[in-house]
Amino acid sequence: MMFINNANADVYSKVYLATKSRDEAMLKAEEEQDLQNKNVGIKQSVKLLNQDEKNNYGIVQFSLNEERINLMLTKDNIARLREKFSADDFYQRSDGVLRLSGKAESYVGGWLSELLENMGADRADINGDGKFSGKERAMIASGYSYDLSSEKQGVVGKSAGVYNVQGYQAGEDSVLSKTLDDYVNEFISADKTLKGKVGLKDYAEQTQGSFSDAIKKELSAKENKLADMFAEAQMKVQPKKKGKSTEEEEEEARKKAAELLAKIKQNRDIESLTPEEKAVLKEYFAGEVEQLEVKDADSVNKHLEQSIEAFIEQIASHSSLVFEAKV
């Protein structure tokens, strides 16, 4: 078993918008005014105008920066919003549009504002058609990256953790068209608790499929190299006969030395070791330590460097993923 810690570190957060509650009388008066004006001034999403996949969606309306907008959300997401927020935050209009208010409006509007402003979707829509494909989609900062590394136990401990999670990077160039509705739905679907934050694991699963499967696949090509690295280090250790050391203590010392060697060849920083660790390492690997101290970092054990760098490539949060992996 291998444990992947911090798999849900936050990647994206919605913009905070102050809530504005409207009672039923206000929303009914607003609806009557819209009927007289034939909904002039209400922005319609391109997905709504094209009626894409109409049967799987419902229409919601909310205000953002004094402008009212109609978007299409999946029926599943609408059901989740109704379950999360107060019934007073929803008003069903006679034209089939679900008018949002209060915290529900702030929540959905916060994701759209995040997408338009912080992620650059507003600027990315170069031709103004409301769709994003090819170069336009690549301009939206919807990409993310993360690093995966062995933790305190090192290679031997079979434990890894996500660190250095970075969102808001250029998205992948794609021939697939996407609308504002699609992006907002992705974030709402990935936000399992509807608290306005999306974790790495959830967003990866929402956009790319099973996160644990992706990690398994990523590690499957590297884990043997890491195991070989440790085994190779152990083979170089020659048992030393010490009058006062038991056989069990000797084995533990050799194992510790092999682990330290693997660690140092990963981070190239022998000064990160404690004096006690340096003593153990030099006792069993004096020649290796000398090379690490005097040679240029780029010329020392390229194979191990590449193996470890390839391993340090994936995932982040408050919980851990557990799955089978050979290390």
Side-chain angles (χ1 to χ4, degrees):
M1 301 287 285
M2 171 171 281
F3 296 85
I4 305 297
N5 301 312
N6 298 324
N8 277 320
D10 292 335
V11 181
Y12 298 109
S13 300
K14 74 174 183 63
V15 170
Y16 171 77
L17 299 176
T19 59
K20 184 176 182 180
S21 298
R22 304 173 183 82
D23 60 29
E24 185 175 353
M26 292 175 62
L27 294 173
K28 188 172 183 179
E30 180 185 78
E31 178 184 14
E32 292 174 350
Q33 186 67 36
D34 289 342
L35 289 174
Q36 292 180 15
N37 296 335
K38 298 182 179 180
N39 290 324
V40 172
I42 301 175
K43 186 175 181 179
Q44 311 289 325
S45 75
V46 67
K47 195 176 191 73
L48 176 57
L49 292 174
N50 293 338
Q51 295 292 293
D52 295 340
E53 303 174 85
K54 183 178 180 181
N55 292 335
N56 298 321
Y57 291 79
I59 305 170
V60 299
Q61 181 182 115
F62 55 94
S63 297
L64 180 64
N65 299 328
E66 305 302 322
E67 179 182 42
R68 274 191 288 153
I69 301 169
N70 283 351
L71 283 186
M72 294 181 73
L73 296 185
T74 64
K75 291 180 179 179
D76 285 345
N77 277 338
I78 291 175
R80 292 175 61 227
L81 292 174
R82 280 186 174 277
E83 184 177 348
K84 170 71 175 181
F85 300 108
S86 168
D88 294 336
D89 290 346
F90 304 92
Y91 174 76
Q92 188 65 59
R93 293 166 49 119
S94 59
D95 58 5
V97 175
L98 183 63
R99 178 66 163 101
L100 305 183
S101 181
K103 291 183 178 179
E105 177 182 58
S106 174
Y107 176 81
V108 176
W111 277 123
L112 181 59
S113 183
E114 178 75 356
L115 179 63
L116 292 173
E117 299 174 11
N118 294 339
M119 298 172 69
D122 199 24
R123 298 182 298 275
D125 188 11
I126 298 173
N127 60 11
D129 65 353
K131 293 183 179 181
F132 304 96
S133 60
K135 293 182 179 180
E136 288 182 332
R137 186 178 175 187
M139 291 172 62
I140 299 176
S142 59
Y144 59 90
S145 67
Y146 53 84
D147 294 313
L148 184 67
S149 70
S150 58
E151 295 208 307
K152 291 181 180 179
Q153 299 96 321
V155 177
V156 183
K158 298 181 181 179
S159 180
V162 174
Y163 72 99
N164 192 33
V165 179
Q166 293 190 12
Y168 305 94
Q169 298 178 2
E172 294 182 3
D173 191 358
S174 173
V175 297
L176 298 176
S177 294
K178 270 200 161 185
T179 66
L180 293 174
D181 319 61
D182 295 320
Y183 279 106
V184 172
N185 271 296
E186 275 184 10
F187 283 119
I188 294 176
S189 295
D191 184 6
K192 303 301 184 184
T193 60
L194 296 181
K195 292 184 177 180
K197 294 182 181 295
V198 169
L200 176 59
K201 170 181 172 290
D202 290 335
Y203 194 60
E205 290 183 344
Q206 175 64 25
T207 57
Q208 299 183 33
S210 171
F211 182 65
S212 59
D213 285 348
I215 294 299
K216 287 181 184 179
K217 184 177 180 181
E218 188 67 31
L219 293 181
S220 63
K222 284 91 177 177
E223 58 196 16
N224 289 336
K225 292 180 181 179
L226 290 171
D228 291 344
M229 178 186 71
F230 179 67
E232 181 183 351
Q234 279 192 309
M235 288 179 64
K236 291 182 179 180
V237 179
Q238 297 299 320
K240 295 181 180 293
K241 295 183 179 181
K242 298 181 179 179
K244 296 183 180 180
S245 295
T246 66
E247 186 175 331
E248 188 177 45
E249 289 172 336
E250 174 69 12
E251 175 62 24
E252 184 63 29
R254 288 189 287 117
K255 184 177 180 181
K256 179 65 175 178
E259 183 180 355
L260 289 172
L261 179 63
K263 175 181 177 181
I264 293 305
K265 287 195 174 183
Q266 177 181 352
N267 62 27
R268 302 301 179 82
D269 184 11
I270 196 169
E271 296 306 319
S272 65
L273 300 181
T274 65
E276 292 78 10
E277 288 175 329
K278 285 184 181 179
V280 171
L281 185 60
K282 288 183 178 181
E283 182 174 2
Y284 291 98
F285 295 104
E288 297 283 344
V289 171
E290 184 178 354
Q291 286 186 343
L292 289 168
E293 289 178 332
V294 301
K295 287 191 176 181
D296 181 78
D298 291 334
S299 65
V300 178
N301 208 322
K302 287 290 185 179
H303 173 70
L304 291 181
E305 178 184 3
Q306 292 169 359
S307 297
I308 295 170
E309 287 181 352
F311 174 72
I312 302 176
E313 277 185 68
Q314 297 260 4
I315 315 284
S317 169
H318 312 311
S319 63
S320 297
L321 283 180
V322 182
F323 58 81
E324 297 290 341
K326 297 178 183 178
V327 178

